[in-house]
Amino acid sequence: MLKLYLNGVFWFLLCLNYASSLTSDGLSLLSLKSAVDGGDTAFPNWNDDDSTPCQWTGVTCANISGVSGPRVVGLSLAGKNLRGYIPSELGNLVYLRRLNLHGNNFYGSIPDPIFNATSLHSIFLYDNNLTGRLPSSICNPPRLQNVDLSHNLLTGTIQKFLGNCRQLQRLVLAGNKLSGEIPSGIFPELANLVQLDISSNSLNGSVPYDIGQLKSLSGTLNLSFNRFTGKLPESLGDLPLTVSFDLRDNNFTGEIPQTGSFSNQGPTAFLNNPSLCGFPLQKTCRDSNSATPPGTQSVTPTIDDNDSKKGLKPGLIILISVADAFGVALIGLIIVYLYWRKKDSNGCSCTGKRRFGGNQKSKFCSFPCVGGFPNTDSEIESEKGSGVSVSGGGGGGGGEGGELVAIDKGFSFELDELLRASAYVLGKSGLGIVYKVVLGNGIPVAVRRLGEGGEQRYKEFVAEVQAIGRVKHPNVVKLRAYYWAPDEKLLISDFISNGNLASALRGQTSTVLSWSTRLRITKGTARGLAYLHECSPRKFVHGDIKPSNILLDNEHQPYISDFGLNNLISITGNNPSSSGGFMGGALPYLKSTQTEKVNNYRAPEARVSVNRPTQKWDVYSFGVVVLELLTGKSPELSSPTTSTSTELPDLVKWVRKGFEEETPLSDMVDPMLLQEVHAKKEVLTMFHLALACTERDPDIRPRMKTVSESLERIRT
């Protein structure tokens, strides 16, 4: 209380002394400086004798129509390791649109007056130590769209007033101490809600039936790690088909409904609910008709001596038993045979054996060859292109002799359905035009149009596509089908909804690149590359690893795209060039057809055209990507004289020089990572791995298998 009183006195004196010099927005911001421990050190350029705060660190200003002078519209101080409380005076910033204080050590409650900033549309306070209840004034800003208060210490219940946030698009309250039941009547009011994550709390009771009215929801509905009880509301099946459920670790009971969106969920969505049964869980529900009705007595019929004499002879009984045993054994052998045949057809087995004619072996196969493919139906479109048709110039079917072939047998649709579907341009490059196409079942796919030539090379094209289609790994974009005709060739793959790493690094998506996120992306990309090098049917060389070819889903899992396309382009007659990284990916903007910049992710020897691609090219490119993740600096900013020669890019030389001269790590690392002090050892390990990958001599560079194994030893 004494501290609050002294800060109040300080605020009053500040207003008296500087009202004539500093703007009212500046005075409101100074309240934050006084509320933070060591404010003078934390905000060295927040000077109270300035006339405006627009040059202060973390402050964004803009000119408002009808208002004199620039006003504060953004405050971003994320990951600064600030310790203090959030002052209510920030609510005086009436034109504030975005408040971002995540990744600090703010404590105390979220002050109600902060939502007097009526222009607020985004507030990010996650990863702090905030306590208390959800402010009742949270919905005061009429245009509030994004609220992320996750991973704090908030208590209390979810109140009905949240239904007043009618423009809300993202509500993330995960990792708090919220409890109690969710009242009905909230979800029907949130017609614009795209993301809902209330996982890892202590919420209980049944899930309101009206949750099925969240018609704009996409991505993952996350209710996991709570104490919800009762049956799953069938209304969840009314949610869009692209929504993934995460209902793990609750106390749901009864049978899983088999309607609507429920049919698209895998077993992971329902794990650790002991009393839940039915498909897709491997726990069948009891047949209520077979149970003995309560109040009745089970009667065992009596058998008299005459009946016993009419029984089967012992010899016949033995003969029947032997026949039954033989039949069961035969069925078991057939099942085992089919199982191992399927495993071998995928190119890898869990025992580490890989089949190319039946006698080749790779000990490493047991590490990266992970069966199955995660759901990637979740979709958040950042910007739609104009609707276009994906059919060729020859009319329906793309020309005579056209054939649509599904590589994944569980993924089937008709050609007419594909050609009638709504399509949006995602990008264009030397590797073809890419569209996002939403099929009739609501599932989006990415469709790449290749060249129109290559009519005489059909068998070569099919062989190449089939080889790409056999690649099955959770960190590699999956090719689902292809279409061939003389005047049209299409590749249909999974659509990855959260853009690519290049967009995330440049702040063009909502992805926050924390240390754990960067480590997850690095590990997943290494696994995918190691699989392509060691276990894929042809031991692929990607040849163009860079951030734009690393796609991200909503959980920030990486997917390697565009491998094997250069050969397909040469078959179809197009001129291959550096790809835009769009295969299966969503982009926040349309790529122009401007001249491609020199690719500074490529190894020095890769810039000599006579050299054939090798796996060590990929290792080098991966190392440059890791250096960019660590430093936040792009190698594309290299000077023209450097990028056009076989010299190392400026980024690689700069990092090497820094280690040779023992430059402090704090001067080399992305400032966002400096706040994660516990990760210092892991960051240093990553630097050493990246430098090993970017050795000039390719023979010195490690294999991706070794790199991946080293990364796995770094904590998550």
Side-chain angles (χ1 to χ4, degrees), residues 500-507 509 511-526 529 545-548 550-552 556-558 601 620-636 651-652 654-655 665 668-674 676 679 682-684 686-687 689-691 694 707 711 714:
N500 57 44
L501 180 57
S503 301
L505 284 166
R506 289 151 184 73
T509 68
T511 300
V512 178
L513 292 175
S514 63
W515 167 244
S516 59
T517 299
R518 297 181 201 219
L519 186 55
R520 183 184 303 119
I521 293 170
T522 304
K523 285 183 176 182
T525 305
L529 266 179
I545 291 295
K546 57 185 179 180
S548 59
I550 300 172
L551 310 181
L552 304 176
H556 307 132
Q557 290 293 342
Y601 296 94
Y620 181 93
S621 300
F622 175 80
V624 179
V625 172
V626 175
L627 288 179
E628 184 172 2
L629 280 167
L630 290 169
T631 64
K633 301 179 183 297
S634 172
E636 299 290 5
L651 176 59
V652 178
W654 179 72
V655 174
L665 194 62
M668 300 171 63
V669 153
D670 188 335
M672 282 290 292
L673 296 181
L674 287 177
E676 302 186 55
E682 290 80 5
V683 170
L684 197 59
M686 288 263 284
F687 264 116
L689 274 174
L691 290 175
T694 53
V707 174
L711 285 169
I714 300 178

Side-chain angles (χ1 to χ4, degrees), residues 445-664:
V445 294
V447 178
R448 181 186 294 275
R449 293 185 68 181
L450 301 177
E452 299 179 358
E455 294 89 344
Q456 309 303 320
R457 305 176 69 178
Y458 170 73
K459 292 183 179 179
E460 189 177 349
F461 178 88
V462 171
E464 198 71 29
V465 170
Q466 292 288 356
I468 296 173
R470 284 195 294 271
V471 171
K472 296 178 182 179
H473 190 273
N475 297 113
V476 180
V477 173
K478 182 72 178 73
L479 184 66
R480 299 291 184 178
Y482 68 91
Y483 175 75
W484 166 278
D487 58 352
E488 186 72 280
K489 291 147 191 77
L490 307 175
L491 300 178
I492 297 95
S493 63
D494 283 319
F495 175 79
I496 312 301
S497 61
N498 204 19
N500 57 44
L501 180 57
S503 301
L505 284 166
R506 289 151 184 73
Q508 294 165 343
T509 68
S510 60
T511 300
V512 178
L513 292 175
S514 63
W515 167 244
S516 59
T517 299
R518 297 181 201 219
L519 186 55
R520 183 184 303 119
I521 293 170
T522 304
K523 285 183 176 182
T525 305
R527 289 190 210 108
L529 266 179
Y531 173 88
L532 290 176
H533 287 182
E534 304 282 348
C535 283
S536 62
R538 290 192 180 178
K539 295 190 175 182
F540 281 100
V541 174
H542 188 289
D544 197 18
I545 291 295
K546 57 185 179 180
S548 59
N549 283 337
I550 300 172
L551 310 181
L552 304 176
D553 66 9
N554 291 329
E555 304 298 326
H556 307 132
Q557 290 293 342
Y559 295 78
I560 297 172
S561 70
D562 284 11
F563 70 95
L565 287 182
N566 281 318
N567 287 341
L568 289 176
I569 293 296
S570 65
I571 291 172
T572 57
N574 265 7
N575 180 27
S577 65
S578 180
S579 82
F582 308 131
M583 183 174 180
L587 290 182
Y589 60 93
L590 239 136
K591 180 178 176 68
S592 66
T593 56
Q594 64 189 14
T595 304
E596 293 283 348
K597 293 185 292 186
V598 176
N599 185 351
N600 284 327
Y601 296 94
R602 302 188 74 185
E605 70 272 14
R607 300 169 199 171
V608 180
S609 58
V610 295
N611 290 337
R612 292 190 62 183
T614 68
Q615 293 181 351
K616 293 301 179 75
W617 289 18
D618 291 345
V619 175
Y620 181 93
S621 300
F622 175 80
V624 179
V625 172
V626 175
L627 288 179
E628 184 172 2
L629 280 167
L630 290 169
T631 64
K633 301 179 183 297
S634 172
E636 299 290 5
L637 301 179
S638 299
S639 62
T641 56
T642 298
S643 57
T644 56
S645 70
T646 58
E647 292 293 319
L648 296 177
D650 289 348
L651 176 59
V652 178
K653 291 195 296 185
W654 179 72
V655 174
R656 287 193 181 280
K657 184 178 179 181
F659 273 86
E660 290 169 0
E661 298 178 354
E662 298 183 355
T663 303

Side-chain angles (χ1 to χ4, degrees), residues 332-345:
L333 287 173
I334 293 173
I335 292 174
V336 170
Y337 169 75
L338 293 175
Y339 171 79
W340 285 109
R341 182 178 179 183
K342 182 179 180 181
K343 295 285 283 185
D344 287 343
S345 68

Side-chain angles (χ1 to χ4, degrees), residues 10 15 79 137 162 210 337 361 439 500 534 616 620 668:
F10 172 81
C15 290
S137 60
L162 278 176
D210 55 22
Y337 169 75
K361 230 184 216 186
L439 301 176
N500 57 44
E534 304 282 348
K616 293 301 179 75
Y620 181 93
M668 300 171 63

Side-chain angles (χ1 to χ4, degrees), residues 111-420:
D112 271 293
I114 202 174
F115 296 100
N116 291 339
T118 53
S119 298
L120 200 64
H121 71 72
S122 296
I123 179 168
F124 302 104
L125 301 179
Y126 58 92
D127 287 330
N128 280 287
N129 296 308
L130 298 171
T131 56
R133 298 173 177 268
L134 293 176
S136 58
S137 60
I138 193 171
C139 296
N140 284 357
R143 291 185 291 274
L144 189 65
Q145 295 179 3
N146 303 293
V147 174
D148 192 340
L149 308 178
S150 60
H151 302 290
N152 280 287
L153 303 171
L154 300 177
T155 56
T157 60
I158 293 180
Q159 299 285 340
K160 205 164 185 175
F161 58 69
L162 278 176
N164 296 326
C165 299
R166 290 182 172 82
Q167 298 301 317
L168 198 61
Q169 295 182 8
R170 290 174 178 83
L171 177 62
V172 185
L173 301 174
N176 281 287
K177 296 183 177 181
L178 300 174
S179 58
E181 298 187 22
I182 301 177
S184 60
I186 297 178
F187 298 126
E189 303 298 326
L190 304 180
N192 299 302
L193 198 66
V194 171
Q195 180 184 5
L196 177 62
D197 187 349
I198 53 176
S199 61
S200 300
N201 281 284
S202 297
L203 298 169
N204 55 38
S206 58
V207 176
Y209 193 84
D210 55 22
I211 194 172
Q213 297 188 36
L214 295 174
K215 300 300 184 182
S216 296
L217 209 63
S218 66
T220 300
L221 170 64
N222 199 338
L223 308 181
S224 63
F225 294 94
N226 279 289
R227 300 173 183 173
F228 289 117
T229 58
K231 292 187 175 182
L232 292 174
E234 290 188 5
S235 62
L236 284 174
D238 298 333
L239 295 176
L241 293 174
T242 54
V243 174
S244 298
F245 299 163
D246 192 345
L247 309 174
R248 295 172 296 161
D249 288 87
N250 280 287
N251 296 308
F252 290 115
T253 59
E255 185 174 3
I256 299 172
Q258 301 299 313
T259 58
S261 295
F262 279 105
S263 60
N264 285 351
Q265 311 304 318
T268 305
F270 308 100
L271 293 179
N272 298 331
N273 285 277
S275 300
L276 207 57
C277 61
F279 183 83
L281 295 177
Q282 294 183 351
K283 181 180 179 181
T284 57
C285 300
R286 287 185 178 180
D287 186 357
S288 58
N289 294 328
S290 63
T292 303
T296 62
Q297 184 177 359
S298 177
V299 179
T300 303
T302 58
I303 304 177
D304 57 23
D305 293 338
N306 292 331
D307 290 335
S308 62
K309 292 178 182 179
K310 296 178 183 178
L312 297 175
K313 294 182 179 180
L316 185 57
I317 293 176
I318 293 174
L319 183 61
I320 293 174
S321 299
V322 171
D324 288 344
F326 178 78
V328 170
L330 181 61
I331 293 173
L333 287 173
I334 293 173
I335 292 174
V336 170
Y337 169 75
L338 293 175
Y339 171 79
W340 285 109
R341 182 178 179 183
K342 182 179 180 181
K343 295 285 283 185
D344 287 343
S345 68
N346 287 338
C348 282
S349 71
C350 294
T351 61
K353 295 181 180 178
R354 181 163 52 94
R355 195 148 188 178
F356 296 97
N359 57 2
Q360 295 189 20
K361 230 184 216 186
S362 173
K363 293 181 181 178
F364 180 59
C365 283
S366 60
F367 169 61
C369 302
V370 182
F373 192 87
N375 289 331
T376 55
D377 322 6
S378 56
E379 170 196 2
I380 298 179
E381 292 183 50
S382 51
E383 183 175 329
K384 289 185 178 180
S386 54
V388 293
S389 169
V390 299
S391 60
E400 295 180 3
E403 181 182 14
L404 179 65
V405 179
I407 297 175
D408 184 352
K409 301 305 179 184
F411 188 85
S412 60
F413 55 91
E414 298 296 330
L415 177 61
D416 288 343
E417 178 186 356
L418 177 65
L419 299 180
R420 287 196 307 266

